[in-house]
Amino acid sequence: MVVLFCTVYYALLLKIRKGLYWRLGGEYQMKDQLFYCYVSVDSKPVFRGHQQGNPLVYDVNFTEQEMKITAHLEDYEQILFENGVHEIVVPYAEIEQATLSICSRVWGMSLIMVGHKIYNFDLQIRTRDWKKIHLEFMAFYEWKEVLERMKRNNVNIIDQCGIYKEFSSKEDFNKNFHASMEDRFEQLARQYDLDDPRVGYNEKLQSMWKEG
């Protein structure tokens, strides 16, 4: 029975083919600008849960006035960035809109992760010159302060799933967020067309893991 389940599971993963896709107009498009991130706020790392098998190879640091994306390890800079770029810095004042959502995530093909979902924050940013940046990172309540910083810089904030309306405190979030998502994420995914689950990597990450 276990062998049959694993066979079907792997077949579904292979059907997705290479890369990471999302649905747009009934077709699947590759998210080649998705940054899987470890998060720091004011250079203080946030607790990094669910690390096993996760290709979280970028760091993003949210400060009072800007966000900075770097490679998690220097060895990966050449793969993850091009043309001698070592970091991406985006001042909040240059952001037009930030949409905070959620995705469910299944990591890779390791047996230990089969059928195991986690629920990450999914942040889509549009700058004032219409550049788009897409971040995925561990959900944590304290990120609300980053949203407040963005608001102070006149960024239009969209809390698509009403995360911070539902959870009014860190204690409430830590205690109930995962259980709430287990109970109602399928409905949210249908309502807002969210990835459920998101599986795989973008092209750069995929090539890195093959070479590794």
Side-chain angles (χ1 to χ4, degrees), residues 99-115:
T99 301
L100 178 64
S101 189
I102 304 170
C103 69
S104 71
R105 161 66 73 179
V106 174
W107 290 113
M109 290 189 174
S110 63
L111 286 176
I112 196 171
M113 302 304 290
V114 170

Side-chain angles (χ1 to χ4, degrees), residues 147-160:
L147 287 184
E148 295 301 322
R149 294 176 183 183
M150 290 184 178
K151 284 182 181 179
R152 291 195 289 270
N153 283 273
N154 299 314
V155 178
N156 179 30
I157 301 296
I158 299 175
D159 183 356
Q160 188 175 46

Side-chain angles (χ1 to χ4, degrees), residues 19-53:
L20 175 65
Y21 296 79
W22 86 100
R23 194 162 56 247
L24 181 64
E27 297 183 356
Y28 284 88
Q29 307 286 334
M30 180 166 288
K31 287 182 176 174
D32 55 4
Q33 295 300 316
L34 176 67
F35 296 96
Y36 302 88
C37 296
Y38 286 131
V39 174
S40 297
V41 177
D42 296 329
S43 299
K44 297 178 181 178
V46 175
F47 171 73
R48 296 168 177 172
H50 304 290
Q51 293 188 58
Q52 185 165 352

Side-chain angles (χ1 to χ4, degrees), residues 69-98:
I69 303 171
T70 56
H72 182 59
L73 297 174
E74 289 184 7
D75 292 346
Y76 296 160
E77 277 188 1
Q78 191 172 2
I79 297 172
L80 299 175
F81 295 107
E82 299 174 352
N83 302 322
V85 175
H86 299 284
E87 62 185 27
I88 297 173
V89 179
V90 183
Y92 301 148
E94 294 182 7
I95 297 175
E96 177 74 26
Q97 182 172 289

Side-chain angles (χ1 to χ4, degrees), residues 1-14 108-115:
M1 188 69 179
V2 173
V3 173
L4 176 61
F5 176 78
C6 291
T7 301
V8 173
Y9 175 78
Y10 291 157
L12 288 173
L13 292 183
L14 292 174
M109 290 189 174
S110 63
L111 286 176
I112 196 171
M113 302 304 290
V114 170

Side-chain angles (χ1 to χ4, degrees), residues 76-183:
Y76 296 160
E77 277 188 1
Q78 191 172 2
I79 297 172
L80 299 175
F81 295 107
E82 299 174 352
N83 302 322
V85 175
H86 299 284
E87 62 185 27
I88 297 173
V89 179
V90 183
Y92 301 148
E94 294 182 7
I95 297 175
E96 177 74 26
Q97 182 172 289
T99 301
L100 178 64
S101 189
I102 304 170
C103 69
S104 71
R105 161 66 73 179
V106 174
W107 290 113
M109 290 189 174
S110 63
L111 286 176
I112 196 171
M113 302 304 290
V114 170
H116 178 70
K117 284 185 183 180
I118 59 175
Y119 299 93
N120 287 338
F121 278 172
D122 203 41
L123 179 67
Q124 299 189 49
I125 288 173
R126 189 182 76 235
T127 65
R128 298 190 187 280
D129 59 355
W130 290 90
K131 292 179 181 176
K132 295 180 181 180
I133 300 174
H134 190 172
L135 306 175
E136 179 188 340
F137 51 91
M138 187 188 74
F140 65 107
Y141 182 81
E142 294 88 334
W143 201 77
K144 183 178 182 180
E145 170 58 25
V146 177
L147 287 184
E148 295 301 322
R149 294 176 183 183
M150 290 184 178
K151 284 182 181 179
R152 291 195 289 270
N153 283 273
N154 299 314
V155 178
N156 179 30
I157 301 296
I158 299 175
D159 183 356
Q160 188 175 46
C161 300
I163 299 165
Y164 290 114
K165 290 182 179 179
E166 180 178 359
F167 304 102
S168 58
S169 68
K170 179 180 178 180
E171 180 181 9
D172 184 23
F173 185 94
N174 291 346
K175 182 179 179 180
N176 297 310
F177 174 77
H178 185 80
S180 175
M181 292 300 103
E182 287 282 287
D183 182 58

